[in-house]
Amino acid sequence: MQTHDATLDRLRTELAGADAGQAALETAVRVLKDSRPSYTWVGIYLLHGNELVLGPFAGKPSPHVRIPLGRGICGAAAAERATIVVDDVNADPRYLACSVDTKSEIVVPIMEGTDVLGEIDVDSDLPAAFGPADRELLEAAAAMLAPRVAARKGR
Ligand code: SME
């Protein structure tokens, strides 16, 4: 497992070599997925109007390719503009199941100022897999991706 800083360094380096847009998001998903064995599924949703639309992901295909704002953990994080950590997804009534093996989840908004551009969603097959270090890592990754997502949206 890579240290937090090593993951961010690798992400920074690989993003510098990636094209803007889709390639950058694919790179981020791959780097984050490879960084921790507990990260079973890593995906990026982009906000289009009032819907989160699934972009690049690593892991099994999800049935939730479009999620309305306010629905699921993903929709809640976008509506609240805040990171949400769920230690036990089966105990959270908001949860939209992606895989029966998933036990915990973290969703981190990708923000530009107060606007939500999208989010990083990570699922784990381990319960309570996401601690403060994961939140810090993924929030730093989201901040690194924000200008690229904004550019992709033509802002
Ligand atoms: N669990 C998410 C849905 C997306 S899948 O995890 C990939 C949610 O509750 O919003």
Side-chain angles (χ1 to χ4, degrees):
M1 171 159 102
Q2 291 179 336
T3 63
H4 184 126
D5 285 352
T7 303
L8 288 176
D9 282 350
R10 183 166 164 218
L11 187 56
R12 200 172 289 114
T13 307
E14 295 217 18
L15 283 179
D19 294 340
Q22 188 77 2
L25 302 185
E26 283 168 7
T27 297
V29 160
R30 176 174 46 77
V31 169
L32 292 172
K33 172 80 166 64
D34 289 351
S35 72
R36 303 282 186 283
S38 55
Y39 292 6
T40 312
W41 190 94
V42 177
I44 293 178
Y45 284 89
L46 298 175
L47 187 64
H48 292 284
N50 285 325
E51 266 189 339
L52 292 157
V53 179
L54 182 59
F57 65 92
K60 288 190 233 161
S62 166
H64 302 292
V65 292
R66 301 180 90 90
I67 302 176
L69 267 190
R71 286 214 55 216
I73 313 289
C74 288
E80 292 170 21
R81 299 182 167 82
T83 296
I84 296 182
V85 176
V86 179
D87 288 343
D88 175 2
V89 291
N90 293 309
D92 194 315
R94 298 169 299 184
Y95 177 64
L96 297 171
C98 182
S99 155
V100 289
D101 297 321
T102 300
K103 301 287 189 299
S104 58
E105 176 164 15
I106 183 170
V107 182
V108 177
I110 300 170
M111 308 283 297
E112 186 186 47
T114 55
D115 289 347
V116 175
L117 303 175
E119 53 194 30
I120 302 174
D121 180 13
V122 185
D123 291 350
S124 180
D125 289 355
L126 302 175
F130 306 104
D134 299 281
R135 173 192 280 255
E136 236 179 85
L137 167 68
L138 295 167
E139 287 181 350
M144 224 183 267
L145 286 176
R148 290 169 179 272
V149 177
R152 194 167 181 264
K153 287 193 159 180
R155 294 184 187 224

